[in-house]
Amino acid sequence: MLNMKWKALLCAVFVFSLARGFAQQQTKRVCDTIRYEFIEDKIVIPVTVNGVVVKYIVDTGGQTGTDWEHAQKMGAVGTGASNPIADLNGKKQLYQIAEVKDVRLSPNYTLNSLKTMIFPVIGSFRSLGVVGILGGDAFAESVITFDAREKIMVINYPYRPDRLKVTDGVEMFGGDTRHSIIKMNLGGVEKEVLFDTGAGGFLLLNASDFKDIEEQGSGEKVARAFGINGIGLEGLSEPTEIDKVNVKEMTILGKKFSNVGSLTSELGSTIVGVELLEYGKVVIDYMRNRFYFFPFDTRDTDMGGVPKTWNVSILPANERFEITRIWDSMKDVVAFGDQVVDINGTDITGFPMSQPEIDRVMGAIEGDRAYIVVLKDGKRKKVEIKRE
């Protein structure tokens, strides 16, 4: 008798025609488990490319790219094509396209070839020990399952996982980029939302989408800031107005989340980030364009509303640490771009230009009050900051 537990989902029984042309030439059934590392909100897996053992970030919202140093070691060959890509912050850059051979994503799942964008050497990649990102295009002829409790990914090929019915999932609008975009109910408004394992957090709302939610009476603004949304492949985003908001209710494949806090941005789409995996298993069937979410707990989950955050944000910029986001309560106290030299007694002037280093210092502060020291016009100014 077949095992009815979840783990039985990880073996395939339904035959699927392999009519589409793809570099993947395997014919045997594959059901491989990959143990991943979760580093700084990123899913990192080992990969072997043309005999070179490396690590990549699995980024369902991105497209496959490799830094040029490792692409050379892998024997990448240019295709003569290039691709304009916008990163998390909306900044666009034209990247050359190359092809690498013999890409082993798991013990039994190998691609004869894979196209990859060629990135410059990126500091955040080096700090994570990775050479690039694997987008949905790398898994285009497979079904992948994310299980955060076990910290595993499972690759199925060419069949769906056992007992997985097409009707259990929803249509995915991946297009040529293979992005995991689905329709989702946000406060009574249906929107197309990208599930993006490359994005930290639970929900990041497009400002236009939130406006519709607010007009529906299902969302409210709590606070406003001026600053950047974060760091993408092309560095810091341009500063803009950012709202801290609360969505009264959202539904993901029948699972309801209430009081969901978020920040708005001018991104191309609303994003559900990697934090979704804390609440259930996700299956992405790239071959059939189906998306599945199996919650660990089917009861409604109260997310607690807008979480407290420090009323200033600090990031590496211009070879120093600067204030890069200011909430309304601090707009007359500090200015965007002010240099920060000390955080609550920790001298940061000798720190490497690393966001995780600053996050570690800020995260270690006990209580909701602290101070920073700002250096402006050669003068040091001690400023109280708060979580609010």
Side-chain angles (χ1 to χ4, degrees):
M1 182 178 294
L2 290 174
N3 185 350
M4 297 295 290
K5 295 183 179 179
W6 167 262
K7 288 186 178 180
L9 282 171
L10 306 183
C11 292
V13 296
F14 297 106
V15 177
F16 178 69
S17 171
L18 299 180
R20 290 189 289 183
F22 188 67
Q24 173 63 266
Q25 296 297 318
Q26 295 164 310
T27 57
K28 67 179 181 180
R29 165 179 168 174
V30 173
C31 179
D32 277 353
T33 297
I34 306 170
R35 298 206 170 272
Y36 66 75
E37 299 174 84
F38 194 61
I39 310 172
E40 297 173 14
D41 291 336
K42 299 291 188 287
I43 293 172
V44 176
I45 66 170
V47 180
T48 302
V49 184
N50 200 21
V52 180
V53 180
V54 292
K55 292 181 180 180
Y56 277 91
I57 296 168
V58 178
D59 184 353
T60 59
Q63 290 181 252
T64 297
T66 308
D67 74 54
W68 69 269
E69 284 188 353
H70 288 89
Q72 285 185 319
K73 293 177 182 178
M74 296 167 183
V77 177
T79 65
S82 58
N83 199 10
I85 294 294
D87 66 7
L88 175 64
N89 300 306
K91 289 192 173 184
K92 289 188 177 181
Q93 178 68 33
L94 200 63
Y95 294 105
Q96 292 184 334
I97 303 297
E99 189 173 68
V100 291
K101 301 290 186 180
D102 190 23
V103 182
R104 186 174 296 275
L105 297 175
S106 69
N108 298 293
Y109 189 80
T110 301
L111 307 177
N112 285 347
S113 65
L114 177 66
K115 289 181 179 179
T116 177
M117 293 181 291
I118 302 301
F119 293 149
V121 176
I122 297 172
S124 60
F125 284 178
R126 282 190 167 178
S127 67
L128 290 171
V130 303
V131 303
I133 60 176
L134 294 175
D137 51 313
F139 303 96
E141 292 296 319
S142 68
V143 184
I144 59 172
T145 300
F146 294 97
D147 183 344
R149 285 187 170 177
E150 300 293 331
K151 286 190 178 179
I152 60 173
M153 280 177 58
V154 177
I155 295 182
N156 283 93
Y157 169 87
Y159 314 123
R160 289 197 305 271
D162 187 19
R163 298 290 182 177
L164 185 64
K165 299 177 182 178
V166 171
T167 52
D168 292 335
V170 294
E171 184 178 3
M172 189 172 75
F173 306 94
D176 293 338
T177 59
R178 303 289 183 170
H179 288 163
S180 43
I181 299 171
I182 63 172
K183 290 183 178 180
M184 192 177 297
N185 187 297
L186 297 169
V189 182
E190 188 175 68
K191 294 291 182 181
E192 287 194 351
V193 175
L194 169 66
F195 170 63
D196 186 356
T197 57
F202 186 80
L203 178 65
L204 182 59
L205 277 164
N206 172 273
S208 177
D209 285 351
F210 178 74
K211 183 178 179 181
D212 293 340
I213 295 168
E214 188 178 31
E215 290 176 354
Q216 186 76 10
S218 300
E220 58 184 351
K221 295 179 182 177
V222 177
R224 172 160 286 192
F226 177 80
I228 69 167
N229 291 311
I231 302 176
L233 291 175
E234 292 303 312
L236 301 179
S237 64
E238 294 298 322
T240 185
E241 288 188 340
I242 301 167
D243 288 316
K244 188 184 293 187
V245 302
N246 184 59
V247 178
K248 294 180 181 179
E249 184 177 282
M250 63 181 288
T251 304
I252 304 177
L253 277 79
K255 167 75 173 178
K256 290 184 179 180
F257 297 88
S258 60
N259 298 313
V260 183
S262 176
L263 300 181
T264 63
S265 75
E266 298 299 330
L267 296 178
S269 65
T270 289
I271 289 173
V272 169
V274 71
E275 191 178 320
L276 176 64
L277 298 179
E278 295 181 15
Y279 300 93
K281 299 184 176 92
V282 166
V283 181
I284 304 176
D285 186 341
Y286 286 103
M287 290 186 287
R288 302 162 189 84
N289 287 314
R290 301 295 289 181
F291 181 93
Y292 305 80
F293 175 62
F294 298 96
F296 298 129
D297 185 343
T298 57
R299 294 174 295 181
D300 295 358
T301 297
D302 190 328
M303 301 293 284
V306 178
K308 287 184 176 182
T309 57
W310 291 107
N311 54 11
V312 297
S313 294
I314 303 164
L315 288 174
N318 303 310
E319 298 303 317
R320 63 185 193 176
F321 293 100
E322 296 183 354
I323 292 177
T324 52
R325 185 185 299 165
I326 305 168
W327 293 93
D328 278 350
S329 61
M330 293 291 285
K331 65 181 181 180
D332 296 325
V333 181
V334 293
F336 182 86
D338 281 353
Q339 182 180 1
V340 179
V341 296
D342 186 290
I343 299 176
N344 213 41
T346 299
D347 185 339
I348 63 172
T349 54
F351 277 26
M353 293 291 101
S354 165
Q355 179 182 354
E357 285 292 312
I358 296 301
D359 291 344
R360 178 183 58 79
V361 174
M362 298 292 282
I365 298 173
E366 296 181 359
D368 291 339
R369 292 175 183 268
Y371 72 86
I372 60 175
V373 176
V374 175
L375 182 64
K376 196 168 186 177
D377 298 326
K379 297 180 180 179
R380 297 167 66 95
K381 179 183 177 182
K382 186 175 181 180
V383 177
E384 184 183 66
I385 59 174
K386 300 177 183 177
R387 282 192 178 103
E388 56 184 32

